[in-house]
Amino acid sequence: MLYGSILDLIGDTPLLDVSALSPNPRVRILAKLEGQNPGGSVKDRPAKAMVEEAEKDGRLQPGQTILESSSGNTGIALAMIAKVKGYPIKVVLPENVSVERRQLLEVWGAEIITTPGSEGSNGAMRRAQALAAEHPDWFFPYQYGNPDNPKAHYEGTGPEIWRDCPEVTHFVAGLGTAGTLMGVGRFLKERNPEVQVWAVEPPAGEMVDGLKSLEEGYIPEVFLDNDGFALLDAKLIVRPRESIEWTRRLTDVGVFAGISSGAAMAAAAKCAERIDEGVIVVILADGGWKYLSTGAWTDDLDVVEERAKRVIYF
Amino acid sequence: MSVTVRLPTVMRAHAGGQSEVRAEGGTIGEVVEDLIRQFPNMATHLRAPDGGLHRFVNVYVNDEDIRYLDSLDTKVDDGDEISILPAVAGG
């Protein structure tokens, strides 16, 4: 295939049968390899949609500065797109992300604005909101509240899954902005209301000790606007140790994926244990490249677990 | 039923700095009541003004979010592990 722009390579990712890892022989597990996107993660999809929709209706003008908060992947995706399209970009990033996330933002020439790790993604988001209010001339996509984020999955990821696997019974994905779960979940349930949608979360709340009160908690508008409480059928926490164990297990089928993908696989395996038969589609959000510095594959499991507790990997 | 409750950092000060406490109850609602009985300052963290669960609090029984089970009526068994965590964004 010949492509005219790197942005044309976003989406249409492969669906890989990883049933060899299923704990139930009557349940197939199919993994959607989002690390195959050119920017390295599933976030290429919403980033491209948010930028191009804004270009279409004039919210984003040539040369205008883009500002976004991100725990990494959305920032990296936006920065790649901004570089290709010629926009300056500033990314507000919590300081406790893996070093590779920061390095990739530098590759794409983004200006990084750091917020305290103890405030997590919530702190980065609040800082970005304050900066956006001070600089109304900047374009602030605001992934947590931008309808083009779930729309990218409703129009892309969801139809791709349905095309490749109409027999899907369960959909499992990580919950960050809720864009993937809301967009794909809504699409699949419209095709087949029996499809179950399961969300996966890291216990990130344990490390955001900078939250002064629970009033600083946050539920993304993308989740509320899509009636997330009704759309999801289950939500599981997967702890760092199990996430890393499953990240390692994925290499048995040749998949080198990030730590949140390990968490998603752990949840898919739990789902497989609970049901009698079915077909689970699980989103593996990114590749393993950005987590090599955590030693996730090679270091002692206890050591890696402690390290992972201090790093945002969703 | 006696269960273990893991507390988020922001609530530990109300439990003498403990990260884990014991509580009694047959449902999550009863466990929450027992927590508030033991540690009255937790009330504002756990409960919304309408008596439901605070919207920025997620409660998990054995790592499963109770909002997708039976909410405060979710049954608990002896030895279950309850986790309370603030709602956090990602991406």
Side-chain angles (χ1 to χ4, degrees):
Chain A
M1 284 285 270
L2 177 69
Y3 294 89
S5 161
I6 191 77
L7 305 185
D8 296 339
L9 273 77
I10 293 174
D12 210 3
T13 50
L15 191 62
L16 178 70
D17 194 327
V18 294
S19 301
L21 301 176
S22 176
N24 181 343
R26 291 178 307 283
V27 177
R28 290 172 72 200
I29 301 180
L30 309 178
K32 196 151 172 68
L33 306 181
E34 291 298 313
Q36 302 280 323
N37 281 301
S41 86
V42 66
K43 296 300 188 184
D44 281 9
R45 296 171 183 270
K48 182 183 172 190
M50 291 190 296
V51 166
E52 294 192 341
E53 291 300 317
E55 285 175 333
K56 268 185 224 162
D57 62 22
R59 280 174 293 142
L60 178 57
Q61 299 288 333
Q64 197 178 345
T65 295
I66 298 174
L67 166 78
E68 182 62 296
S69 77
S70 171
S71 52
N73 277 334
T74 304
I76 291 163
L78 279 170
M80 175 191 73
I81 293 165
K83 178 142 182 131
V84 171
K85 289 176 173 277
Y87 300 105
I89 181 166
K90 301 171 193 287
V91 176
V92 185
L93 188 75
E95 64 189 345
N96 51 341
V97 299
S98 69
V99 63
E100 292 93 334
R101 289 191 177 195
R102 173 178 279 275
Q103 287 171 325
L104 274 161
L105 285 168
E106 288 164 357
V107 165
W108 300 122
E111 182 193 327
I112 299 170
I113 300 164
T114 308
T115 52
S118 61
E119 294 173 12
S121 301
N122 293 13
M125 183 194 61
R126 274 181 238 286
R127 181 74 188 281
Q129 284 174 321
L131 284 168
E134 283 168 35
H135 301 274
D137 51 318
W138 294 350
F139 171 60
F140 179 38
Y142 186 48
Q143 57 170 335
Y144 301 106
N146 189 325
D148 295 325
N149 168 6
K151 192 172 159 213
H153 296 289
Y154 183 83
E155 294 181 350
T157 326
E160 290 168 26
I161 291 170
W162 189 251
R163 176 197 68 199
D164 295 339
C165 181
E167 57 276 26
V168 57
T169 60
H170 291 72
F171 176 67
V172 178
L175 178 65
T177 66
T180 312
L181 283 158
M182 299 297 111
V184 176
R186 200 153 57 80
F187 181 86
L188 293 178
K189 286 196 176 204
E190 282 172 9
R191 294 299 175 286
N192 175 8
E194 302 297 309
V195 172
Q196 299 270 299
V197 179
W198 287 34
V200 187
E201 277 188 320
E206 283 179 359
M207 75 187 173
V208 286
D209 49 14
L211 287 190
K212 289 172 195 70
S213 86
L214 291 170
E215 294 302 330
E216 292 182 24
Y218 181 66
I219 304 169
E221 285 93 325
V222 166
F223 183 88
L224 297 171
D225 293 345
N226 287 278
D227 205 4
F229 289 115
L231 188 71
L232 297 187
D233 296 286
K235 188 169 101 188
L236 302 184
I237 275 197
V238 177
R239 299 196 180 265
R241 190 179 188 89
E242 213 179 353
S243 303
I244 293 155
E245 284 171 341
W246 277 97
T247 306
R248 290 182 178 185
R249 223 163 275 166
L250 275 168
T251 63
D252 293 344
V253 290
V255 176
F256 177 56
I259 299 173
S260 76
S261 298
M265 270 306 291
K270 275 184 194 157
C271 180
E273 280 169 3
R274 272 197 221 170
I275 59 179
D276 186 45
E277 55 179 10
V279 181
I280 300 169
V281 171
V282 57
I283 297 285
L284 305 188
D286 64 5
W289 306 101
K290 292 191 295 284
Y291 310 93
L292 281 168
S293 68
T294 68
W297 294 266
T298 44
D299 288 359
D300 178 75
L301 192 56
D302 294 325
V303 175
V304 184
E305 183 187 5
E306 281 312 307
R307 238 179 250 151
K309 282 180 184 169
R310 296 191 295 272
V311 173
I312 297 179
Y313 50 82
F314 257 62
Chain B
M1 309 294 166
S2 177
V3 297
T4 308
V5 183
R6 289 197 201 187
L7 301 174
T9 317
V10 60
M11 284 173 59
R12 289 176 194 167
H14 303 313
Q18 300 175 86
S19 60
E20 255 183 43
V21 297
R22 305 287 303 175
E24 304 284 329
T27 63
I28 288 294
E30 289 169 18
V31 168
V32 167
E33 287 308 309
D34 188 45
L35 282 175
I36 292 171
R37 197 156 37 236
Q38 297 182 63
F39 313 105
N41 289 337
M42 282 187 191
T44 52
H45 286 294
L46 291 170
R47 272 211 217 103
D50 68 359
L53 197 61
H54 192 297
R55 66 190 296 246
F56 293 141
V57 159
N58 293 332
V59 177
Y60 302 82
V61 179
N62 301 327
D63 290 344
E64 192 155 356
D65 191 327
I66 63 157
R67 284 201 175 91
Y68 306 93
L69 299 170
D70 294 319
S71 205
L72 289 173
D73 296 328
T74 304
K75 299 256 184 301
V76 297
D77 279 324
D78 251 337
D80 275 352
E81 207 169 85
I82 317 295
S83 303
I84 300 174
L85 289 169
V88 175

